[in-house]
Structure formats: structure tokens, C-alpha cells
Amino acid sequence: MYPSRFRYEAPRTLDEALALLAEHGDEAKILAGGQSLVPMMKLRFAAPGVLVDINGVQGLAYHQEVPGGGLRVGALCRHVDLEHSAILPGAQPTMAAAAPLVADPIVRTRGTLVGSLCHADPQGDWASVMLALDGAVVAASPRGLRTIPVGEFVVGTFQNALEQDEIAVEAVVPAAQGTRSGSYLKLERRVGDFATAGVAVALESDGGRVVRAGIALTGVGPATIAAVDAQQALLGSSLEPDVVERAAELAAAVARPRTDHRGTADYKRHVVATFVRRILTAERAPAGAAA
Amino acid sequence: MTATAEPATGSQALDEVKIGGLGSSRPRVEDARFIRGRGNYVEDVTLPGMLHMEILRSPLAHARIKSIDTSAAWAIPGVKLVLTGEMAAQRNLAWMPTLSYDTQAVLATDKVRFQGQEVACVVAEDPYIAKDACDAIVVEYEALPPIVNPEQAVAPGAPLIRDDKAGQADNVAYQWEVGDKDGTDAAFAQADVVSKLRLHYPRSHPSPIENCGAVADFNNATGKLTVYLTSQAPHIVRAAVALIAELPEHLIRIISPDVGGGFGNKVPVYPGYVCAILCSILTAKPVKWIEDNTGNLSSTGFGRDMYLDSEMALTNDGKILAVRYHATTDQGAFYADAQPTKFKIGLVHSSFACYDVPVGHITAQGMYTNKAPGGVAYRCSFRVTEAMFFQERMMQAAADDLGMDQAEFRRRNLVRDDQFPYRTPFGFLTDSGQYLKCLQVGLDAIGYDDFLVEQAEARKQGRLLGIGISTMTEPLGAGNSREYDILGIKMFDSAELRVHPTGKAVLKIGAQTQGQGHETTFAQIVTHELGIPATDIVVEHGDTDHTPFGMGTYASRSTPVAGAATAMVARKIRAKARKLAAHLLEVSEEDVEWELGRFFVRGAESRGVTIQECAMAAYSNMPDGMEPGLENNAYYDPPNLTWPFACYIATVEVDPETGVWDVLRFVGVDDCGVRINPMIVEGQIMGGLTEAYAISNMQFQTYDVDGNLVGANYMDYLLPTAWETPGFELHEVVTPSPHHPIGAKGVGECAAVGGPAAYVNAVMDALRPTGVRNIDMPLLPDRVWHAAHTGQDVSGAPPFRTE
Ligand SMILES: Cc1cc2nc3c(=O)[nH]c(=O)nc-3n(C[C@H](O)[C@H](O)[C@H](O)COP(=O)(O)OP(=O)(O)OC[C@H]3O[C@@H](n4cnc5c(N)ncnc54)[C@H](O)[C@@H]3O)c2cc1C
């Protein structure tokens, strides 16, 4: 397929990239992994006049723990880096569970977590994970840096909170208030398929009791959904079966799925409940053991 | 090195497997270029001064065209031609005939009849400009109500889709019937049990990795038209172009270079080809057209989309007395099935050929709908896929209704070895087989009895395990010339063999590989007949100026027909070589004996000459009066179809909470007669079983109420990856075809034809406690979950409902 004509710019520094955005305004688009933008361009759903390719900008490919807890993920950290990360399995179980479920191996070598957040696809896996973890996006502009919580960053279907002249430079996960646990489950028809439904659960517990809970849903609404009531239901609990059941029901209740070729709305809601139940039931043993 | 240098005792025949003859799993010679990126596909063809063509497609399923304004497109720099249906009509090319004796619009003039239909095309200096110009064409449509299934097509007040056709008063494309109605009715009157089943076999798409495309090069100095084309049947295309475009056939050359998969999708002549040719004539420049994925998925030959309404008459002890069914095919907007049989619905009446069924009756009708045309593609001999799926789903339902074990029910009804040749209830003559043996090999391999115990145990714990069997024979290798033709040309095939002075050979065939490995296996047939090592033989095909006329490759026909022609031409060469051998050995021809690779004097085995020595003699030392050279050709008209048999068995586990099902094991037993290259045969079977898995599990094309295609790109239309594809355990039984020169049968499609029922039967078996009788393919997790939770059947028939 043949995209519309566009100009291609490859800045070497963040400042150059910001200058290009300032110069071209809404004509310009950032190109990170290109795994969402390029497919849209080839279908001419997106037709940016100027592509600002940030892949040559140094120092954005990291992901690292923050002293005292938490994680920073640079704008050019690829899905594959997270999939093979030495840090995530111990420190960030929800992210570790999600990384190998994003897209397929080919897409994972190019696509980025930050790009996925920027793309704000309701079926994007990272947005749910980062929402459950209470993460945020750091945006750079000529005015400096600002930090936007993921819940405010993703404003709608394919809509993020960035200004025209801003670049997302990293995503951050705050330090945990206790022991971290959690997971990500995704129902997909085939490897590389977007989620029929996905559930991210991120728990922080202290003394066997849940002190913070994040539950977010992928692919079952016009945007990533935070299951706030379900989160609340878990607080203070030790994931007792009735609590788990209640959280599963509450999470399913906030899902707003549509019937499509991936499944009926009823089915997707049912999958949400099933996945919440499965993750929490699996977490109960380790959480209890920590008590 | 001469044979006479060998010791004087014993046979000096060559080791056939070592020299790459029958039974040798020699690596595919094609792979050397494919894995190095040295293949040559239509997209790789670049000619001096070449222009690029892009097609504008209809966004609507059914609409009247009120106006087409091309002025903005013409105004774009670099645009050379904007072609509309009206302009094509001036050349009498707005419509073209289909292979099923209907007509199809090349570029729409009056109405658009399906989403994705070709409306106009642009030729420009590069493909980007061509695309820009397509976007600049303004078409004014007046929407008409779309029809997306046969029921809507016959509903009172349904809009007439084919108002272009004189005498077409409704949306019925054809009606057809076969079998013995009275005999069948009488048998049903005697039945203890009548088993019924209704289902829909969904639309699927062959989805070759390489889309369709062409480079048309009309030379206005010589008047010659050369077209590089992604075709499975270049010779038929030449004939069709001669008929459609009214160009002289000797000035048309069709070249199919490497073809990146076909699966039936690349048999027809598509509007894009006609447009490229016309545009090349009009611009006097080479014109390249490369279809995109959505274009391929939304406008080219699909498979299936067929409804079954069936009944089977049974005795209490499990004998089938009769079968009858009505089948409805959804043809799309044009009846463009690429099928050469005399039967409107293809070979659907080959169903039940492997069972001893006394009598049957099938009625069928085809419907026009506002969907893409061309219904018999996808690795299928003209609807045998539906035939065998219907059969095997009906077999399972019948066994359930009888309360009889699946395997035992089949055992009681399969045709026995001593019944061949066997006349089926619908008039076919099956050639050979060992059906019961194949079934038993399969059951033993899967550990049938043990699995039933395991299944019962698992059910007690709420786990749903299932086992599904599919046994079938199918008719492969069209034709014979009595019943099969394309545009009147009989379904023979051809081979031409030239042996060079040094004993190396070139084989030219009328078939057209698209991944089957003909360049490897057809050499092996020559090796088998002549003893020339396979590495000394090159196989050529796909250039109509330089290969003999053949009907192409589809419907598993290449080995049955072109393969037979290859054996026959090699035998002609051997006959001449024998005369040369007699001359060289100074004995009379009657005293010359053949063993692989060598002639020798009867009674004096050490006195012999190799085939290579004979070849040299053909050019350097022929007897007086003999024509020099060692080459010949053969056209083969098969006496019958070949009938391979397969037994596929799947075991699955269904997750009752999510409806997701996993294949635990899959056993395949194939009897395709003599295997030329066992590795390639297994590759064909594994590929087919993978496609069967895809169709049963995830893959389908459907339409919503507005006639929008669901599954028009590869994010929605799923091809399975190595990750989800199950492992296959393959076994073989060999029953040679009695009428094929080397005893081979077709095999290319067996697994794609017989495979789906094994998966579906396994899932239905797992769900047996729920009372669900049928879920239409694909057995998507949500469908399985709904069925398991409600105990109701799930229909997959369009329109596809979204919210
Ligand atoms: C076949 C396929 C399957 C896929 N399956 C999945 C899946 O299962 N789950 C899933 O979550 N995703 C999936 N994806 C999407 C993939 O994860 C993408 O990598 C991701 O959505 C976008 O990241 P990217 O780096 O490729 O962004 P790009 O495509 O480069 O950009 C996406 C958008 O974000 C903007 N953008 C990117 N980076 C920045 C930045 N630093 N600052 C400001 N704006 C920015 C771009 O301008 C663009 O609008 C799939 C993609 C493909 C092609």
C-alpha cells in the first residue's frame, strides 16, 4: 500500500525534535517504533505532512529502577527489551506478565511502551498495565517537563493529553507501598492479535493485606478502563474468595464492551470477570504467605 | 564411466532413491532461490518505461452509480490515464465472461454490486501518484439495499442484484439436482432413525502471501502482448485473453513467474488483469498492477459460504440407508466459480463416496448476493471441501443420534477393500483404497480406547475433553475430458521432454507450481522412468510461448494429470532410447532389456549402455533412417479421477470458562497412492492441516447488515502462526491408483478438505454433555462459550452482528 506524501526528518537530539514539532505544528507526527503509525499511514488513515523520527535521539532506550522504588521507561525502550528484562520479573510482575503478550515477536522488536501509551488504543496492553500501576507519562516541550498520570494521559480512543509541541520522553511507575504482586491476562485469537479482553491487576500488600490495588481493562470500552470499585473492594482484604468474587463482578460491571468479530459483549464481560478471578485466586497464595 | 566397465554379474540398475527417483525426499530445488531472496515474482518484474496502475474500489455493497468525475485525477501531474467502465465499454470490455458462463463487471458502469468492486483505475508514473489520483476521483452513489445472505436474496421485495442480465427476474444464480429422489424417499420410509443437521460453512479466503498482480506489455510495433501474471493456469489465461480481448492467440504470451501461493485464488481472470492489459494497449507502455491485501481479500476468489440442510436414514444397528440434503451456495454478485465440471455446484456430490451408501439425493441452488464473487477457491476441488465437511459432520451427528461410538459407526459403513472399483450413490467410480486399515492406523496411533477412558475421568472433574474423527475420500485430478472442461477446452495436461546429448534433460510441463514443488517432484518422475539423476533434470513451466498447453495447477490435479503426462513422455523417450541401445549394442530391439538407467542384452547383462550413452547417440550416432534428437511430448487425458483417502483424528480440551479450545494431539493417516517425494507430501499435508485448523478455529470472512466485509485485512482475517498451530503426527498407507501410470493420487488438498471436520467434531464431542449439536465455524471462543452456557447451537451465518 502507498501512504500519502510526507516529509521525513530524523533529529539527533531531543531539542532538534522539539524544534521540528514547534516548526510544523499539527502537520508533524513523532515516529517511534512505527508499529501503529505506519500501518495507519499505509491505509491513509493517518497522513502526517512531516514525520519526526526520534529513533536517532540518544539516551531514550532505557528502562531502569528508580532508587527507592519505581521504574522509568524511556521513549525508545522497545517491547522486546521489557520482554527480556532482568528487572521486571522481580520488581514489576504485572509488566513482566504483559510484555510477552503484546503483539508478536516482530512487532515487539520495534514497538515501544511509550508509543503504545501515546497511541491510546483501547486495545493497547500497556495502557492497562500502566493504569493499574498508577503510572505516569513525562512530557517534554520548550516549556520544560511535566508529568501526566496515565489516567489523565489517555483521554479517549486514540487520543492522548499531549500538546502539539510535546514529546513523551518516558513513562514512570511509582514506588510500591508494600510487596508488589499482580499479573496480566489477555485473551487473543492468535499471537499478534489485539485483546478480545485483557485484565491488568497490580497489587501492593503489607502484612498479607492489600494496601493498594489497581485493576484495568483492555479492549472492553472506548478507552482503557480503570475498575475503580473493584480496586476498592480489595483494599484491606487478603483476597478471600468472596472478596475475589465481588471484585470480579465489579470489574465486569464497569466494562463497556461492544459485540464485534472478537466476541459478543456478554462474552467479553464474562472474560473480564473470569480473568480478574483467575489472577486474584493465583495471587492469594503468595500474598497469604507473606503474612 | 560406462556400464560395461562393471562386473559381468547381477543387476546394475541404479539405486532409485539415491538418484532422486520415486520415494526420495530430495530437498526442494525451488528452495535455493526462495530462501536466498532470489525468487522472481511479478512484483520483481520491471520493464523500461513501465507505468503503474491502481484500482478505485467501491466503498458500498450495492449502489447505483450516478456520476463519476475524474477531472481532479487527470489534473494530478504524472497521471497518464484514468479509465472508467464507460471508457472500457467502448472497447466492449466493461464486462467479461466468467468461467461459470456468467458475466462479471470489469469496471462498474451501472451499479456496484459488492464492497470492493472495481470502479475505475488510474495509470501513473509511480504507484503513489496512481493512488493519489484514485483518491481524487469523485463517484456519486445512490445506495441500494444490500443482500448478504441467501435468505435475504429470496425474500419478497428483495432488490434484483443482476438487473444487467436479460431474463434474470430474481436473485437465483442456478438450480441443480443429482441422485435418485424416489429411491431415497423410499429408503427414508424404511429408516429406524432419521438424523438431521443444519449448518453453514463460512466464507474463507485463500489469502496467498503474494496478492494478485500483472505487468502487461503491449508492443504496438509488433502487435505482441506479453503479460507477467500471478496465475495458476497461464495457458487458460492466454485462451481467455484471446476470447475476451479479441487479440490473436499467437501474439499473446502469458508468463507466470514464481507464484507466491495460489490455493485456487489465482485461477480466474480478474478485472485487474483486464484493466492492466487494456491500459497497456491504450498507453502503449508496460503497465504494472499489484493488488494490495485488502484488494485481494475483498474482491478475489473466495471459498465456501454454503448452507447445509441434511437428513440421513439409518437402521438401529448403524447402517446408512440413504442420505439427502439441500445445499445453498452464496455466490456473491457474479457467478464466477472457477470450476471446470459440468455440474453447477462442482463436485459436492462426491460426498459419501467413502461410505457404502445405497442411495442419495442432493438438491442445490446458488444465490446472488452483494458480496465478492468467485466461490470455489481455497485448496479445494470445486466444493469437495464442503462435501466432505458436511459428510463428516453428518456422520458424527448420526452416530450421536444412534448412541453409537464414532469409530464403530464409520467402521460399519466404510467401503471395504474388495468393493473397488466402487460406484458411489451419485455416480462416481472410486478407484482403490484401504479405508478400514487407514481408520485403524489412526485409532491405534491416537490411542482411541485409552482416550475414551481419560475423557470420562476428566468429565468427572468438570474438564471437557473431546475426540473428533474425519474420514474421507475425494476426487482429485480433473478431468477426464467427458465431464471436465474450461471454456470448452478439455481438462487434459501435457509434458514435453528434451534429453540433451550429454544426457541432461529439460522437462516442460503445462502445470504451474505455486509452492507445490513441481520442479523437484516432476524431475523425480523422469528419474523413475529413465534413470537420469534428478539433479540432471530441470523442470520449466509457466511461459505459454515455451511450454506445452496445459490446464494449470489446482484441484490437486498436477500429479494425477501432468505427472501422468510426464511419465508417458518419458516412456516415449525410453522407447526411442531402446532403439538407439539396440543399435549401439548391435542386437535387435527385442533382445534389449531395461533396468533403471541402462539397457542391456538379454542373457548377457554385462553388455549394456546407459541412458546417457543413448542420448549422445541420438545426436551423434543414430541408426540410418532414424530421426536425430531425443525429445518428445505427451498429452494425457485421465481415464478417471484419483481417489486418495484420509483419516484425521484430533483430541482437544475446551476451557468451559472462556470457550478457548486447545488441540491436544492430531493424527493424520493419508493414503495418496505412491508417494513421489515423501517430504513434499508431508509438507502438503501439514500445510493443509494448518489451514484446516485456521478455518475451524479463527478464520472467516463475513459481512455485516450493510454489506461491509469483516475480514478485509490481516489483522481481522487471521492466519495462524507457528505458535498456535498444533503439532501433527503423520502416518501413511499406500494403495496405488490402478489407472495412473506411476500409481500416484492427488494429495494437495486432502488435509484442508478433511481436516476441519476433525477439529469441529472433537470440540462438539467435548461439548456433548451440554446437548449442543452444532457450532458454525470458526469455533471462536465466544461461540463455544455461548453454546456451552446456553446448550444452544450457534449459527455463524451472515449478517454479522456488531453493536
Ligand atoms: C501486527 C501488530 C499487532 C499488534 N498487536 C498489539 C497488541 O496485541 N497489543 C498492543 O498493545 N499493541 C499491539 N500493536 C501495537 C504496538 O504495540 C505498537 O508498537 C504500539 O501501539 C505503538 O508503539 P510504537 O513505538 O510502534 O509507536 P508509533 O507507531 O511510532 O507511534 C504511535 C503513535 O504515538 C505517537 N508517539 C509515539 N511515540 C511518541 C512519543 N515519544 N511522544 C509523542 N508521541 C509519540 C506517534 O506520533 C503516533 O501517533 C500491534 C501492532 C502491530 C503492527
Side-chain angles (χ1 to χ4, degrees):
Chain A
M1 292 209 203
Y2 302 101
S4 304
R5 254 146 236 276
F6 59 89
R7 211 171 111 191
Y8 174 81
E9 297 282 359
R12 309 299 299 179
T13 64
L14 189 61
D15 286 343
E16 276 175 43
L18 288 169
L20 284 162
L21 284 193
E23 184 187 342
H24 296 288
D26 64 358
E27 274 284 276
K29 272 244 165 235
I30 297 288
L31 178 76
Q35 298 305 298
S36 295
L37 184 53
V38 173
M40 307 250 294
M41 286 174 64
K42 80 167 189 180
L43 295 169
R44 297 192 169 194
F45 293 155
V50 183
L51 264 196
V52 180
D53 180 351
I54 58 168
N55 285 277
V57 174
Q58 298 303 306
L60 292 177
Y62 59 89
H63 74 284
Q64 63 200 38
E65 283 184 285
V66 177
L71 188 80
R72 300 169 57 206
V73 180
L76 290 177
C77 173
R78 317 278 169 181
H79 305 321
V80 69
D81 301 330
L82 299 169
E83 181 183 7
H84 297 140
S85 162
I87 300 169
L88 295 192
Q92 298 292 347
T94 308
M95 290 180 73
L101 299 179
V102 177
D104 60 40
I106 302 166
V107 173
R108 288 200 293 271
T109 58
R110 296 293 304 165
T112 64
L113 177 144
V114 171
S116 175
L117 298 179
C118 292
H119 190 55
D121 184 339
Q123 282 175 308
D125 296 301
W126 286 125
S128 305
V129 170
M130 296 304 278
L131 188 59
L133 285 165
D134 208 11
V137 174
V138 179
S141 74
R143 297 174 297 285
L145 296 177
R146 68 172 176 134
T147 300
I148 313 160
V150 170
E152 291 161 32
F153 183 77
V154 176
V155 284
T157 312
F158 303 123
Q159 283 178 304
N160 65 40
L162 292 176
E163 301 290 335
Q164 259 168 36
D165 61 355
E166 280 184 315
I167 294 177
V169 287
E170 66 175 9
V172 291
V173 178
Q177 298 168 21
T179 311
R180 240 189 225 299
S181 63
S183 191
Y184 186 70
L185 285 179
K186 171 181 180 180
L187 191 108
E188 55 184 2
R189 298 170 302 169
R190 187 205 62 184
V191 164
D193 191 19
F194 286 95
T196 300
V199 172
V201 175
L203 302 175
E204 292 161 33
S205 38
D206 201 0
R209 303 250 159 228
V210 175
V211 293
R212 201 198 79 81
I215 299 181
L217 315 180
T218 312
V220 288
T224 309
I225 293 174
V228 179
D229 292 343
Q231 295 172 176
Q232 287 294 331
L234 297 179
L235 290 182
S237 82
S238 301
L239 305 181
E240 296 81 1
D242 58 325
V243 175
V244 168
E245 200 47 49
R246 176 116 187 88
E249 279 166 23
L250 288 169
V254 291
R256 286 158 61 206
R258 284 159 51 99
T259 294
D260 62 13
H261 53 291
R262 291 193 173 81
T264 63
D266 285 350
Y267 172 71
K268 292 178 186 177
R269 220 174 275 115
H270 170 80
V271 170
V272 166
T274 302
F275 281 180
V276 171
R277 192 182 303 118
R278 281 185 182 177
I279 294 174
L280 293 177
T281 305
E283 292 304 335
R284 188 160 76 234
Chain B
M1 185 191 80
T2 62
T4 42
E6 300 286 327
T9 52
S11 162
Q12 294 171 38
L14 299 170
D15 179 329
E16 178 162 358
V17 171
K18 271 199 192 135
I19 62 167
L22 293 194
S24 161
S25 287
R26 64 188 292 246
R28 288 166 27 115
V29 297
E30 295 90 340
D31 291 347
R33 63 178 191 275
F34 292 158
I35 62 180
R36 288 175 173 81
R38 297 298 300 271
N40 182 39
Y41 300 88
V42 168
E43 174 77 290
D44 298 318
V45 174
T46 298
L47 300 178
M50 187 172 78
L51 301 173
H52 298 263
M53 186 184 100
E54 183 72 28
I55 292 175
L56 175 70
R57 297 178 181 281
S58 169
L60 299 177
H62 198 190
R64 200 164 298 287
I65 296 176
K66 296 184 73 180
S67 65
I68 303 180
D69 181 354
T70 59
S71 54
W74 279 106
I76 294 175
V79 170
K80 299 294 179 187
L81 178 66
V82 184
L83 187 73
T84 61
E86 208 175 302
M87 292 159 70
Q90 288 164 15
R91 296 254 173 169
N92 204 18
L93 283 176
W95 291 82
M96 63 178 186
T98 72
L99 297 179
S100 288
Y101 302 97
D102 193 0
T103 49
Q104 173 172 359
V106 174
L107 292 176
T109 46
D110 51 341
K111 288 204 299 188
V112 289
R113 293 176 171 83
F114 66 95
Q115 185 182 61
Q117 186 178 340
E118 300 80 359
V119 174
C121 67
V122 174
V123 176
E125 279 165 5
D126 74 40
Y128 298 87
I129 297 173
K131 177 77 180 145
D132 290 346
C134 275
D135 290 352
I137 296 173
V138 181
V139 185
E140 204 186 335
Y141 294 105
E142 178 191 320
L144 297 168
I147 291 177
V148 297
N149 67 31
E151 216 170 284
Q152 293 174 345
V154 294
L160 182 63
I161 296 172
R162 295 301 303 277
D163 51 356
D164 58 292
K165 284 179 82 178
Q168 180 80 37
D170 55 23
N171 291 319
V172 178
Y174 69 83
Q175 273 169 327
W176 187 78
E177 146 171 34
V178 66
D180 174 358
K181 180 174 188 313
D182 294 342
T184 304
D185 290 348
F188 269 85
Q190 306 294 315
D192 297 328
V193 176
V194 172
S195 173
K196 301 183 187 209
L197 187 69
R198 293 171 68 117
L199 58 83
H200 176 233
Y201 199 132
R203 220 173 229 248
S204 59
H205 198 277
S207 57
I209 295 298
E210 179 202 31
N211 299 321
C212 293
V215 177
D217 181 16
F218 180 72
N219 184 326
N220 62 355
T222 62
K224 180 143 187 171
L225 173 70
T226 303
V227 191
Y228 300 83
L229 198 81
T230 51
S231 177
Q232 297 174 230
H235 299 274
I236 300 178
V237 173
R238 186 184 68 194
V241 170
L243 298 173
I244 297 171
E246 292 174 11
L247 293 169
E249 197 169 0
H250 67 297
L251 292 179
I252 304 169
R253 178 181 180 191
I254 307 294
I255 301 173
S256 283
D258 285 328
V259 177
F263 308 103
N265 183 248
K266 292 174 179 168
V267 179
V269 173
Y270 291 119
Y273 301 156
V274 178
C275 288
I277 291 168
L278 180 55
C279 288
S280 178
I281 292 171
L282 293 174
T283 59
K285 296 270 190 197
V287 171
K288 179 187 265 188
W289 167 62
I290 300 292
E291 186 179 57
D292 60 29
N293 290 342
T294 295
N296 184 256
L297 287 171
S298 65
S299 74
T300 62
F302 66 95
R304 341 292 183 228
D305 207 350
M306 186 161 171
Y307 298 78
L308 171 76
D309 189 349
S310 74
E311 291 183 312
M312 206 191 280
L314 302 156
T315 65
N316 279 330
D317 61 352
K319 276 298 291 175
I320 304 171
L321 296 177
V323 292
R324 69 179 163 213
Y325 61 78
H326 180 74
T328 307
T329 59
D330 182 333
Q331 298 295 147
F334 309 104
Y335 181 30
D337 289 6
Q339 67 112 344
T341 76
K342 297 218 175 303
F343 320 114
K344 289 284 186 195
I345 199 174
L347 299 180
V348 89
H349 53 308
S350 60
S351 64
F352 290 93
C354 71
Y355 297 112
D356 189 2
V357 176
V359 65
H361 185 231
I362 298 172
T363 55
Q365 67 180 353
M367 293 296 171
Y368 288 120
T369 59
N370 293 114
K371 295 156 73 172
V376 293
Y378 206 5
R379 215 166 179 167
C380 167
S381 288
F382 328 123
R383 299 200 188 277
V384 295
T385 310
E386 296 93 313
M388 299 314 153
F389 184 74
F390 292 169
Q391 165 195 304
E392 286 308 293
R393 293 287 296 121
M394 287 166 68
M395 288 299 287
Q396 192 196 41
D400 285 354
D401 289 341
L402 289 166
M404 187 174 284
D405 175 78
Q406 297 291 324
E408 180 56 25
F409 179 56
R410 285 182 172 77
R411 216 176 270 127
R412 289 190 191 184
N413 289 287
L414 283 168
V415 172
R416 297 185 317 275
D417 300 1
D418 60 5
Q419 288 177 283
F420 292 103
Y422 176 79
R423 182 69 65 184
T424 79
F426 302 109
F428 290 103
L429 197 66
T430 54
D431 58 353
S432 63
Q434 304 173 67
Y435 299 170
L436 287 155
K437 178 176 174 187
C438 290
L439 174 62
Q440 198 55 47
V441 170
L443 295 172
D444 291 345
I446 202 90
Y448 188 69
D449 296 333
D450 291 346
F451 184 84
L452 294 186
V453 174
E454 189 187 334
Q455 180 184 39
E457 281 303 312
R459 270 189 194 154
K460 286 182 203 153
Q461 300 150 25
R463 286 173 57 211
L464 300 177
L465 303 190
I467 186 161
I469 304 174
S470 174
T471 46
M472 59 107 212
T473 183
E474 58 162 328
L476 297 182
N480 56 67
S481 56
R482 296 178 307 284
E483 283 167 329
Y484 304 89
D485 68 68
I486 288 184
L487 302 172
I489 301 166
K490 305 294 188 184
M491 295 290 288
F492 54 79
D493 229 290
S494 58
E496 188 182 301
L497 184 59
R498 294 184 192 169
V499 184
H500 300 325
T502 57
K504 318 285 179 185
V506 180
L507 174 74
K508 298 173 181 240
I509 52 175
Q512 172 64 46
T513 191
Q514 324 118 44
Q516 292 88 345
H518 292 166
E519 290 166 40
T520 308
T521 51
F522 280 58
Q524 294 183 246
I525 298 173
V526 175
T527 298
H528 172 71
E529 296 292 341
L530 293 181
I532 299 174
T535 46
D536 288 353
I537 303 159
V538 67
V539 178
E540 293 185 348
H541 51 83
D543 181 339
T544 58
D545 269 8
H546 297 291
T547 54
F549 197 101
M551 300 306 280
T553 293
Y554 40 85
S556 301
R557 65 184 298 277
S558 298
T559 293
V561 194
T566 299
M568 297 316 267
V569 72
R571 287 175 193 181
K572 289 184 185 177
I573 295 286
R574 199 168 71 204
K576 182 167 184 185
R578 178 186 297 273
K579 294 191 197 308
L580 288 159
H583 170 67
L584 293 175
L585 294 166
E586 297 176 329
V587 294
S588 79
E589 212 187 315
E590 296 75 55
D591 291 330
V592 173
E593 294 267 339
W594 167 257
E595 62 185 359
L596 192 65
R598 157 178 201 273
F599 294 100
F600 60 90
V601 179
R602 183 179 306 132
E605 278 184 14
S606 63
R607 284 193 59 215
V609 285
T610 62
I611 187 75
Q612 290 82 2
E613 287 165 330
C614 294
M616 184 55 85
Y619 298 88
S620 63
N621 179 18
M622 54 282 184
D624 285 347
M626 182 187 275
E627 212 180 316
L630 193 57
E631 58 183 70
N632 216 319
N633 64 9
Y635 280 73
Y636 187 80
D637 181 4
N640 189 4
L641 297 146
T642 66
W643 295 81
F645 184 82
C647 169
Y648 301 121
I649 306 180
T651 57
V652 301
E653 174 154 14
V654 177
D655 178 342
E657 278 181 320
T658 60
V660 171
W661 52 277
D662 288 320
V663 178
L664 304 175
R665 281 181 65 202
F666 195 102
V667 165
V669 185
D670 280 89
D671 180 356
C672 57
V674 172
R675 294 186 175 198
I676 299 165
N677 182 318
M679 176 194 71
I680 285 184
V681 169
E682 293 200 349
Q684 290 288 313
I685 295 168
M686 289 190 187
L689 291 175
T690 304
E691 291 179 336
Y693 171 71
I695 289 167
S696 65
N697 182 279
M698 62 180 80
Q699 187 169 79
F700 69 129
Q701 281 198 324
T702 190
Y703 289 78
D704 70 13
V705 278
D706 299 321
N708 296 310
L709 175 59
V710 179
N713 62 64
Y714 286 107
M715 289 305 284
D716 294 337
Y717 190 74
L718 300 178
L719 306 188
T721 71
W723 190 266
E724 24 320 286
T725 302
F728 305 118
E729 305 164 36
L730 303 185
H731 301 262
E732 70 170 7
V733 168
V734 176
T735 316
S737 169
H739 62 77
H740 188 278
I742 58 168
K745 300 184 177 187
V747 70
E749 298 159 353
C750 294
V753 168
Y759 298 106
V760 175
N761 284 345
V763 174
M764 299 316 300
D765 183 53
L767 295 184
R768 183 171 297 147
T770 67
V772 176
R773 199 169 171 83
N774 184 59
I775 304 172
D776 282 341
M777 294 191 291
L779 305 185
L780 299 168
D782 72 312
R783 293 188 186 179
V784 174
W785 178 78
H786 278 284
H789 275 253
T790 60
Q792 305 286 313
D793 288 8
V794 176
S795 165
F800 191 72
R801 272 166 292 276
T802 51
E803 265 170 29

